[in-house]
Amino acid sequence: MDALVLGGGPGGCEAALVAAQRGARVTLIEERTLGGTCLNRGCIPAKSLLASAEALEWVRAAGTFGITAGEGAANVPAVYGRKDAVVSSLVKGMEFLLQARKVRVVSGHGRVSGPDSVTLTAPGGSVERLSFDALILAAGSVPSIPPVFAYDGDRVLSSDDALSLGSIPASIVLIGGGVIGCELAQFFARLGSRVRVVEMLGRLLPQEDADCARQLERQFKKEKIAFSCGASVEGVEKTDSGVKITLSGGAVVEAEKALVAIGRKPATGGLGLESVGLAPDSRGFVPVNAFMQTAVPSIYAVGDIVSSPQLAHVASREGAVAAIHATGGHGEISYRAIPRCVYTSPEIASVGLTEEDAKKRGIPFKTGKFNFAALGRAKAAGKTEGFVKIITDEAGVVVGGAVVGAHGTELLQPITMAVQLGLTSGQIAQCVFPHPTFGEALLQAALDVGGESPYKVQSPL
């Protein structure tokens, strides 16, 4: 069979690789660079920059470990150059994988022209009609920037722009206190910017567990990263020295640059969906079933153009599910246990329900919590900030959890598996955890659900 994939991001590349592995003849169309937003303008470049900022913090903290290293300084062009090298290496790796699976990769803009064909417009303007037995749409998303923010790519930036700057601004305002805003706020602050985060809702990371958000807010205060929560942007004005931002209530914030990080919107425009009667919903998303199949049986949609969490790992799984179904197999995606990760320092990772979610749904729940400060490994590593929290229903089945602290995004995986598989906190507590590790906090949090952690006691003071 002939499978056509439109979009070379995480969802599209995964779909192409899986379909090819299952015997399909696969063509992948990508208008820009393989890897999509995640690899080129999102996850990977951001984490590369954050790694450089963390390395600088290690140098500055070296004295606390008995190491003489001085204050340290960031070579900004080298920081961005390293980021570019990391991205380039991974793009080449993806090119190799696709070539090894005999996936034909073509450059250009693809537009649906019928239930079994796509019109490809190449960079030079030539037009080609490609036919398919199955089409997997993986067009991704673009930054959402309403007109009120006066975006120009110079003084008012998107997250895409921020990852390609050649210098660090003296001051910057991050509009949006979600994942992207908080990660970039810490990066700019550690490299010398005066930073303020503006969040419309009542706290940073408003979609996350309140305890997690408070931990990050304490860290931001420690690093002198200012934040204004419960404030919306009423207007943005360009000035001789930068930007002037008026907030609700009349407060004015000035900075050299502003960065809009309020989310992303599906890139469904220009896909030609109307040619086959596929109308996106009011938010621009393409409706699909559990197999990622649209109302047109030969056409699938995955990733940021469907109304699932806009995360690279979700897109990848959806791409695999679509490819399996399109090639005659059976696979469904479960959204029961989708990990959510914030790569600030401390890292914040969560899965399943938060306490607030359980309360809103009227679900009786229990929690167990254990702080890193009580761990020998955390003390030895100088990383005592953070905790593990486990949330269960009345029967003890794990329905959610969070990790805040060093390696938090790695430590979340056992909780993710527990939520997905319906394990109980008691089953986690039966496992033997290695010592000394940060993971021991998971064991003690599981025991604490029933008040049985021998290492968690109330202070007599």
Side-chain angles (χ1 to χ4, degrees):
M1 68 167 294
D2 291 311
L4 185 59
V5 180
L6 189 52
C13 286
E14 185 85 6
L17 290 168
V18 172
Q21 187 180 38
R22 292 175 57 83
R25 292 179 298 276
V26 183
T27 298
L28 186 154
I29 300 173
E30 171 54 52
E31 193 166 4
R32 300 175 72 175
T33 306
L34 278 176
T37 294
C38 174
L39 180 47
N40 296 282
R41 301 172 296 281
C43 316
I44 299 303
K47 278 51 182 180
S48 175
L49 295 179
L50 288 168
S52 292
E54 184 176 25
L56 181 59
E57 288 301 297
W58 273 111
V59 171
R60 290 169 175 168
T64 64
F65 294 88
I67 305 298
T68 302
E71 284 300 306
N75 179 334
V76 176
V79 167
Y80 277 92
R82 176 183 181 275
K83 179 265 298 181
D84 291 340
V86 168
V87 170
S88 177
S89 173
L90 290 171
V91 169
K92 289 176 181 176
M94 182 55 67
E95 290 172 347
F96 171 80
L97 284 172
L98 292 167
Q99 183 179 27
R101 289 289 180 192
K102 295 181 171 55
V103 174
R104 178 193 176 204
V105 178
V106 295
S107 179
H109 176 75
R111 182 182 178 87
V112 180
S113 51
D116 61 358
S117 66
V118 161
T119 299
L120 169 68
T121 303
S126 62
V127 177
E128 179 184 359
R129 181 181 177 277
L130 301 175
S131 60
F132 59 80
D133 297 304
L135 169 65
I136 300 174
L137 301 171
S141 61
V142 294
S144 178
I145 308 180
V148 67
F149 297 116
Y151 170 76
D152 63 0
D154 178 23
R155 295 182 185 179
V156 180
L157 309 171
S158 69
S159 56
D160 290 0
D161 302 320
L163 298 174
S164 300
L165 290 177
S167 61
I168 300 298
S171 57
I172 188 168
V173 174
L174 284 295
I175 302 172
V179 176
I180 298 172
C182 287
E183 288 182 354
L184 290 177
Q186 195 168 55
F187 167 72
F188 283 117
R190 289 184 167 186
L191 267 71
S193 289
R194 187 175 73 255
V195 176
R196 176 174 291 275
V197 180
V198 176
E199 169 54 48
M200 183 174 66
L201 298 180
R203 66 170 188 253
L204 297 179
L205 301 178
Q207 305 304 319
E208 289 302 329
D209 182 277
D211 287 344
C212 298
R214 281 191 286 269
Q215 184 84 42
L216 185 62
E217 288 177 351
R218 287 193 290 271
Q219 182 65 29
F220 273 20
K221 288 176 182 178
K222 187 186 300 185
E223 296 189 30
K224 295 182 172 53
I225 300 173
F227 51 92
S228 303
C229 296
S232 60
V233 174
E234 301 293 327
V236 176
E237 176 187 348
K238 313 285 176 59
T239 67
D240 290 341
S241 58
V243 292
K244 180 186 292 185
I245 300 170
T246 303
L247 305 180
S248 53
V252 175
V253 179
E254 295 191 62
E256 181 181 332
K257 293 185 184 293
L259 193 159
V260 183
I262 62 171
R264 301 180 68 86
K265 59 185 180 181
T268 46
L271 290 182
L273 301 180
E274 66 282 355
S275 69
V276 290
L278 281 181
D281 65 19
S282 59
R283 298 174 296 164
F285 295 116
V286 180
V288 293
N289 62 18
F291 311 112
M292 313 312 299
Q293 193 174 30
T294 70
V296 179
S298 60
I299 300 178
Y300 298 75
V302 305
D304 288 359
I305 63 171
V306 302
S307 60
S308 56
Q310 290 184 320
L311 299 167
H313 44 281
V314 174
S316 293
R317 177 58 187 159
E318 290 173 342
V321 167
I324 291 169
H325 191 266
T327 53
H330 181 85
E332 295 183 42
I333 182 169
S334 167
Y335 298 103
R336 178 178 179 178
I338 300 298
R340 306 181 297 274
C341 300
V342 188
Y343 294 84
T344 48
S345 180
E347 291 184 356
I348 296 172
S350 57
V351 66
L353 301 182
T354 65
E355 290 188 51
E356 293 91 335
D357 292 333
K359 289 174 183 176
K360 287 177 183 177
R361 299 183 190 187
I363 299 173
F365 66 93
K366 297 180 287 185
T367 64
K369 187 177 179 182
F370 198 79
N371 292 326
F372 280 2
L375 297 176
R377 174 68 191 281
K379 286 277 191 181
K383 295 286 186 179
T384 56
E385 303 88 358
F387 58 85
V388 172
K389 176 189 284 190
I390 291 177
I391 303 170
T392 75
D393 63 15
E394 283 189 304
V397 176
V398 180
V399 296
V403 184
V404 179
H407 315 296
T409 56
E410 308 292 341
L411 293 171
L412 182 70
Q413 193 55 41
I415 306 178
T416 300
M417 294 175 68
V419 173
Q420 180 65 36
L421 300 175
L423 302 181
T424 66
S425 58
Q427 287 173 310
I428 294 175
Q430 290 173 10
C431 299
V432 177
F433 285 70
H435 172 82
T437 62
F438 288 93
E440 289 176 282
L442 174 59
L443 168 62
Q444 297 304 321
L447 287 165
D448 188 50
V449 170
E452 298 175 351
S453 170
Y455 297 98
K456 184 172 180 179
V457 297
Q458 294 295 323
S459 171
L461 302 179

